[in-house]
Amino acid sequence: MDNKQIDVMVADASHEIYVDIILDTIKEAAKVRGTGIAERTHEYVATKMKEGKAIIALSGDAFAGFTYIESWGNKQYVATSGLIVHPDFRGLGLAKRIKQASFQLARLRWPNAKIFSLTSGAAVMKMNTELGYVPVTFNELTDDDAFWKGCEGCTNHDILKAKNRKFCICTAMLFDPSIHSDKK
């Protein structure tokens, strides 16, 4: 299969039919990797789609990949989360296309917000670095309790809690638009 045969787009309400396969794909990836991924509900992911805060990749009618964004701390921060590529479409560079699309969507919707990502995956760290993110300490991220509550579904939440949200298994990465103001 060719990467160009896969459409990457902003999700909307019509894409809710893919939510269950998205959630199953995320859950299975976490099992295979043996790492924590914060679990989300059907309603949560569907809402992200309806709000235009998600990116979906489709090959015809087949689900290929997904991610979503959310603003925190009075829209001063944006998190990109839940990046997943279905196993049938891995190895095609699709994750990079989805990540770039979510980054562009975040920059379009909240151009002055700092964009952050928590990840334990080397591939996501590499993509983040290419987009201008840098590793930071957790205290440089949002202090919005609603964001951190989302980590409760992760298998590593006990570590995060024990360390008073100062660190966990994930690496915190941040894109600060004030540093990249000359780049579009």
Side-chain angles (χ1 to χ4, degrees), residues 101-131:
S102 69
F103 181 78
Q104 290 170 350
L105 180 61
R107 297 284 291 132
L108 179 67
R109 291 195 65 164
W110 300 285
N112 298 316
K114 294 177 180 180
I115 304 171
F116 69 98
S117 174
L118 290 177
T119 185
S120 59
V124 173
M125 287 182 219
K126 183 178 179 194
M127 287 184 275
N128 285 346
T129 300
E130 290 171 359
L131 290 168

Side-chain angles (χ1 to χ4, degrees), residues 1-7 58-59 89 91-94 97:
M1 166 156 294
D2 185 338
N3 188 350
K4 292 180 175 73
Q5 295 173 312
I6 303 168
D7 294 315
L58 301 173
S59 178
F89 299 93
L92 301 173
L94 182 57
R97 287 180 60 203

Side-chain angles (χ1 to χ4, degrees), residues 135-147:
V136 295
T137 59
F138 277 36
N139 69 344
E140 294 178 65
L141 305 180
T142 183
D143 60 359
D144 191 323
D145 288 331
F147 168 78

Side-chain angles (χ1 to χ4, degrees), residues 64-182:
F66 178 79
T67 194
Y68 66 90
I69 61 174
E70 183 58 82
S71 62
W72 304 99
N74 201 25
K75 300 182 180 164
Q76 295 177 354
Y77 291 89
V78 176
T80 58
S81 302
L83 177 62
I84 191 70
V85 173
H86 190 277
D88 295 346
F89 299 93
R90 292 186 183 148
L92 301 173
L94 182 57
K96 189 172 186 174
R97 287 180 60 203
I98 294 169
K99 183 70 174 176
Q100 288 171 333
S102 69
F103 181 78
Q104 290 170 350
L105 180 61
R107 297 284 291 132
L108 179 67
R109 291 195 65 164
W110 300 285
N112 298 316
K114 294 177 180 180
I115 304 171
F116 69 98
S117 174
L118 290 177
T119 185
S120 59
V124 173
M125 287 182 219
K126 183 178 179 194
M127 287 184 275
N128 285 346
T129 300
E130 290 171 359
L131 290 168
Y133 290 69
V134 295
V136 295
T137 59
F138 277 36
N139 69 344
E140 294 178 65
L141 305 180
T142 183
D143 60 359
D144 191 323
D145 288 331
F147 168 78
W148 295 102
K149 184 167 178 53
C151 291
E152 290 176 5
C154 176
T155 58
N156 297 315
H157 181 256
D158 289 344
I159 297 168
L160 181 66
K161 189 175 172 184
K163 299 299 180 184
N164 296 316
R165 293 194 318 213
K166 294 194 185 329
F167 84 54
C168 193
I169 300 297
C170 285
T171 297
M173 299 188 77
L174 184 74
F175 174 90
D176 185 340
S178 66
I179 295 171
H180 301 277
S181 60
D182 59 330

